[in-house]
Amino acid sequence: MKRFETGASDDGWYRRWFNRDYLKLYSHRDDEEAGIFLNFLIDRGYIKYAQKILDFPCGVGRHLQYLLSKNYNAYGMDLSTELLNEARKRTESESKESRLVRGDIRYPPFKTGFDIILNLFTSFGYFEDDDNRLVLNEIFRMLSPGGKFVLDFINIDFHLRNLIPEDDFIIEGAKVKINRKYNSESDRLMKKIEISREDDIRQYIESIKCLRRSDLMEMFKLAGFKVIDIIGSYDGSTFNEDSSRMILIGEKLCIA
Ligand SMILES: C[S@@+](CC[C@H](N)C(=O)[O-])C[C@H]1O[C@@H](n2cnc3c(N)ncnc32)[C@H](O)[C@@H]1O
């Protein structure tokens, strides 16, 4: 697994990892967590009825399903066919109209006109810098003036301080081995995941650019966003150095 050693990033790791094995490993990231965060965004007035919302990328649609169940006008996009199939099953009873699109967050097939775009649960920083910026620019393009962008990223410094280099456990009879490390050369947080059941061994990589508060503030500014809030957890607590999440709310400035 040379990639893990070198910190090489954009070799398409995100195309391989987001499948059934990912879902098994992250099953604790569930609907309850999605509901808590969306209720916070609704209570604080960031999400309002009649607004056009894009969950970008939506994964299995846990946030999308919640929004549709409450009659919000929401859509989802993701690259993973396996996760989109799950999302389709979850959302088809909530809406007659198809709400899901397959696409790459760098090249979304949508025109402008969204009031709020959600990028949730560390779905950012997967690429090299130019492509990470491209994602942000595309989000800006798709928003209407005054529209909001919610970026839910990890608080990198907190995670690096608390990094657990190795983990071993069993899930549904499969052995899971996880190695985590910070690669200072590429400034990326790397995770190697091995899932084995007898002689069936599958290996995956996760590679996230270490974007800190100042990096994201600068990227938002360059894309044209004003940062109007920074939150540290899904229940809405204020961000500080011990927060596990770093959730930025950006507003697309209206040109006077
Ligand atoms: C950590 S998951 C989060 C999914 C969802 N937001 C949630 O909270 O459950 C990251 C998602 O990004 C999607 N993804 C990864 N690379 C992508 C790309 N280049 N374009 C679109 N989606 C991508 C994956 O398929 C996966 O569903």
Side-chain angles (χ1 to χ4, degrees):
M1 285 236 142
K2 239 186 172 155
R3 278 174 290 129
F4 189 64
E5 305 313 323
T6 59
S9 56
D10 197 5
D11 56 358
W13 64 267
Y14 45 85
R15 290 180 197 282
R16 286 187 290 278
W17 171 219
F18 295 107
N19 59 16
R20 298 212 159 269
D21 284 334
Y22 163 80
L23 284 183
K24 247 182 246 159
L25 222 69
Y26 284 92
S27 58
H28 58 292
R29 298 308 203 172
D30 57 11
D31 298 343
E32 193 186 336
E33 181 189 76
I36 288 171
F37 187 47
L38 289 170
N39 279 335
F40 162 76
L41 292 174
I42 291 165
D43 288 349
R44 197 159 280 192
Y46 292 135
I47 296 182
K48 299 191 182 96
Y49 269 118
Q51 286 187 326
K52 197 172 172 192
I53 305 163
L54 179 62
D55 189 4
F56 183 81
C58 61
V60 293
R62 56 195 183 118
H63 299 92
L64 184 65
Q65 182 183 19
Y66 184 86
L67 289 168
L68 292 175
S69 74
K70 305 257 180 251
N71 294 318
Y72 283 91
N73 181 20
Y75 294 82
M77 195 201 88
D78 204 280
L79 188 64
S80 163
T81 310
E82 267 183 279
L83 301 198
L84 276 175
N85 286 341
E86 275 305 305
R88 208 156 276 130
K89 280 187 222 154
R90 278 165 158 258
T91 54
E92 64 192 5
S93 61
E94 310 289 358
S95 166
K96 286 194 189 97
E97 185 195 337
S98 171
R99 299 282 177 160
L100 292 159
V101 171
R102 180 164 186 266
D104 190 307
I105 48 173
R106 289 167 293 185
Y107 318 109
F110 302 105
K111 294 193 177 119
T112 187
F114 290 98
D115 300 297
I116 179 146
I117 298 183
L118 309 169
N119 179 287
L120 305 179
F121 191 42
T122 327
S123 301
F124 194 74
Y126 291 179
F127 315 111
E128 297 293 347
D129 294 347
D130 283 355
D131 274 6
N132 289 333
R133 273 193 289 269
L134 179 61
V135 174
L136 210 50
N137 290 340
E138 281 298 293
I139 289 168
F140 186 83
R141 177 189 64 75
M142 290 187 289
L143 281 169
S144 301
K148 309 272 189 308
F149 171 45
V150 180
L151 176 70
D152 160 28
F153 201 62
I154 45 174
N155 177 8
I156 288 286
D157 289 328
F158 172 83
H159 279 264
L160 292 180
R161 272 200 315 275
N162 295 284
L163 195 75
I164 300 169
E166 280 182 25
D167 240 348
D168 283 285
F169 50 92
I170 307 272
I171 287 186
E172 294 175 20
K175 273 191 206 162
V176 181
K177 195 170 180 294
I178 298 188
N179 290 84
R180 300 180 185 87
K181 74 171 201 178
Y182 170 65
N183 188 300
S184 54
E185 223 172 284
S186 57
D187 193 24
R188 298 186 79 93
L189 190 54
M190 310 288 298
K191 197 191 277 183
K192 183 167 79 178
I193 304 122
E194 186 178 284
I195 303 179
S196 57
R197 197 190 285 265
E198 292 167 5
D199 52 2
D200 175 18
I201 302 174
R202 297 178 218 170
Q203 291 184 325
Y204 304 101
I205 292 283
E206 220 181 78
S207 165
I208 310 279
K209 180 75 184 180
C210 291
L211 296 165
R212 294 162 180 87
R213 182 183 170 146
S214 56
D215 302 318
L216 287 172
M217 296 289 283
E218 182 66 17
M219 287 171 81
F220 269 53
K221 194 173 156 197
L222 282 175
F225 288 109
K226 179 182 177 197
V227 176
I228 57 170
D229 207 350
I230 306 184
I231 301 148
S233 73
Y234 293 131
D235 59 13
S237 61
T238 308
F239 176 79
N240 64 46
E241 61 176 29
D242 292 320
S243 303
S244 67
R245 309 299 306 171
M246 186 170 52
I247 302 167
L248 271 72
I249 315 281
E251 182 175 336
K252 176 170 175 168
L253 296 174
C254 304
I255 299 157

